[in-house]
């Protein structure tokens, strides 16, 4: 927290990366060029999740992120968990265990009707795997994703490029051995929510000071806020599908308990840019090859984009 006499720390929120290392490197360079040197050097940088899948270089993306604290020691770095990251962590066996000691197989029941169609993973170790890990490492029967207008890449999560970035075939249980320990620690330690106090933001009426909540998809508008915060803060992996990490319309707006309060809610996940008052959705790339990765900078609300890597890579 900044002292009253100190200038406020710049806050940078980076949208979904989805395995595109060239875009990430370009965005980082553009941020460094766009911001005053001292503001960049001491910024709070919040990555909004979904580092893997779709793009070809998940392994290199995680290497880049892991190197940031040493490269920029005066910055603070927050790495949120996205729905793709949760599923990756589940597959390689590093998802935090359920707080009540229940088995991960207890997460299957609600979605068992999708098992055959989505081709859930049934290889070694599946018996103790969270449902999202089984979906992530499976082979979906449909070859075409009508929502994206693109073919599926391996599973419903488009996980094949992530497997291949570690040198193994899609769905191979060997991925757990191929992923370096530092990458497993990164996945294990991802937070589901970040809460920051005293964040300034420039508005039409002048600068105001807000609380900031960063969560991958958003907060549900009509569900008890305290229960949502409990699930996120404790990383409650009993939940088969966490709406705040994977929801769509239900997490688009600001929850009623926060409406009218000075609270910024910033997310990625949704495959577009959306700014409405203090609600920010920063995911211009959406995992598409031809779209940039975007970041937003507070207090100015400046949008910075990658300018390289938006054509076919490898």
């Amino acid at each position: 927290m900044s002292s009253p006499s100190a200038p406020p720390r710049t806050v940078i929120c980076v949208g979904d990366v989805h395995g595109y290392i060239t875009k990430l490197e370009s965005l980082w360079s553009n941020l460094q060029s766009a911001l005053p040197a001292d503001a960049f050097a001491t910024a709070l940088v919040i990555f909004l999740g979904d580092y893997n899948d779709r793009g070809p270089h998940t392994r290199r993306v995680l290497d880049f992120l892991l190197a940031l604290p040493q490269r920029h020691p005066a910055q603070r770095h927050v790495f949120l968990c996205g729905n793709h990251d949760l599923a990756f962590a589940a597959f390689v066996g590093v998802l935090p265990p359920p707080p009540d000691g229940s088995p991960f197989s207890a997460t299957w029941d609600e979605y068992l009707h999708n098992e055959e169609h989505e081709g859930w993973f049934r290889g070694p170790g599946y018996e103790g795997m969270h449902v999202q890990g089984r979906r992530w490492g499976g082979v979906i029967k449909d070859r075409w994703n009508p929502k994206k207008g693109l073919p599926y890449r391996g599973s419903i999560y488009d996980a094949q490029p992530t497997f291949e970035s570690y040198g193994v075939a899609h769905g191979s249980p060997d991925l757990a051995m191929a992923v370096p320990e530092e990458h497993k620690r990164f996945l294990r330690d991802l937070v589901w929510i970040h809460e920051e106090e005293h964040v300034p933001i420039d508005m039409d009426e002048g600068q105001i000071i807000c609380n900031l909540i960063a969560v991958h998809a958003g907060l549900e508008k009509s569900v008890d806020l305290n229960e949502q915060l409990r699930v996120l803060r404790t990383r409650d992996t009993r939940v088969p599908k966490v709406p705040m990490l994977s929801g769509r319309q239900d997490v688009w707006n600001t929850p009623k308990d926060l409406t009218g309060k000075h609270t910024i809610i910033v997310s990625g996940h949704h495959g577009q840019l959306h700014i409405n008052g203090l609600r920010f959705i920063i995911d211009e790339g959406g995992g598409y090859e031809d779209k940039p990765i975007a970041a937003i900078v507070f207090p100015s609300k400046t949008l910075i984009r990658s300018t390289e890597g938006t054509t076919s890579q490898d």
Side-chain angles (χ1 to χ4, degrees):
M1 187 183 306
S2 299
S3 66
S5 60
R9 182 193 287 262
T10 295
V11 177
I12 302 168
C13 297
V14 179
D16 300 25
V17 178
H18 277 303
Y20 286 104
I21 185 61
T22 305
K23 295 183 193 180
L24 178 58
E25 291 171 338
S26 171
L27 173 64
W28 194 255
S29 176
N30 292 345
L31 283 164
Q32 194 162 7
S33 298
L35 295 176
D38 57 342
F40 182 79
T42 60
L44 165 62
V45 188
I46 303 171
F47 290 87
L48 297 172
D50 277 3
Y51 312 108
N52 53 283
D53 301 341
R54 298 185 179 145
H57 296 132
T58 289
R59 180 171 185 153
R60 290 175 60 190
V61 165
L62 267 57
D63 283 337
F64 180 97
L65 298 176
L66 283 163
L68 288 178
Q70 184 173 2
R71 290 176 56 196
H72 303 280
Q75 290 181 345
R76 282 176 59 204
H77 305 101
V78 173
F79 302 106
L80 288 178
C81 185
N83 56 315
H84 287 255
D85 313 309
L86 185 151
F88 183 9
F91 189 86
V92 297
V94 298
L95 201 62
D100 63 354
S102 61
F104 279 132
S105 58
T107 63
W108 301 355
D109 292 352
E110 187 175 346
Y111 294 98
L112 272 175
H113 60 283
N114 293 328
E115 180 177 11
E116 183 178 354
H117 168 69
E118 293 179 353
W120 292 4
F121 177 76
R122 292 187 61 86
Y126 87 92
E127 300 91 343
M129 191 177 288
H130 191 283
V131 62
Q132 299 306 330
R134 294 194 63 198
R135 297 176 76 222
W136 187 80
V139 179
I140 191 167
K141 286 189 172 181
D142 291 342
R143 304 315 304 157
W144 188 256
N145 182 343
K147 291 182 179 178
K148 286 193 166 288
L150 293 169
Y152 283 110
R153 304 193 69 182
S155 69
I156 196 167
Y157 276 98
D158 296 321
Q160 180 177 334
T162 298
F163 281 85
E164 292 174 348
S165 77
Y166 290 97
V168 299
H170 176 74
S172 171
D174 293 341
L175 181 67
M177 293 183 291
V179 173
E181 285 302 315
E182 59 266 29
H183 289 201
K184 291 179 182 176
R185 285 194 296 271
F186 177 85
L187 294 168
R188 181 184 299 120
D189 293 342
L190 293 174
V191 296
W192 290 13
I193 186 172
H194 179 73
E195 299 165 270
E196 189 77 18
E197 296 181 331
H198 306 299
V199 175
I201 180 172
D202 296 338
M203 305 294 286
D204 291 342
E205 63 271 26
Q207 190 172 94
I208 62 174
I209 304 299
C210 295
N211 294 329
L212 181 146
I213 296 174
V215 58
H216 179 65
L219 296 170
E220 292 188 278
K221 187 174 178 65
S222 57
V223 174
D224 180 70
L225 177 63
N226 287 328
E227 175 59 15
Q228 294 184 71
L229 295 176
R230 183 201 65 78
V231 169
L232 293 167
R233 289 166 178 165
T234 63
R235 300 192 296 171
D236 190 344
T237 54
R238 292 175 297 182
V239 181
K241 189 174 183 181
V242 181
M244 298 79 77
L245 304 187
S246 59
R248 295 295 178 183
Q249 289 84 2
D250 51 336
V251 295
W252 186 264
N253 295 308
T254 299
K256 58 185 179 182
D257 291 344
L258 294 175
T259 301
K261 299 183 179 179
H262 283 179
T263 302
I264 300 165
I265 301 177
V266 61
S267 306
H269 181 62
H270 295 278
Q272 57 184 288
L273 292 174
H274 172 79
I275 299 173
N276 182 18
L278 297 177
R279 179 67 174 112
F280 295 84
I281 294 171
I282 310 299
D283 181 23
E284 189 167 13
Y288 287 95
E289 201 167 48
D290 59 347
K291 293 184 178 180
I293 300 172
I296 192 163
V297 180
F298 297 110
S300 66
K301 299 186 291 187
T302 301
L303 285 166
I304 307 293
R305 297 172 171 89
S306 60
T307 49
E308 297 179 18
T310 51
T311 56
S312 179
Q313 301 176 40
D314 292 5

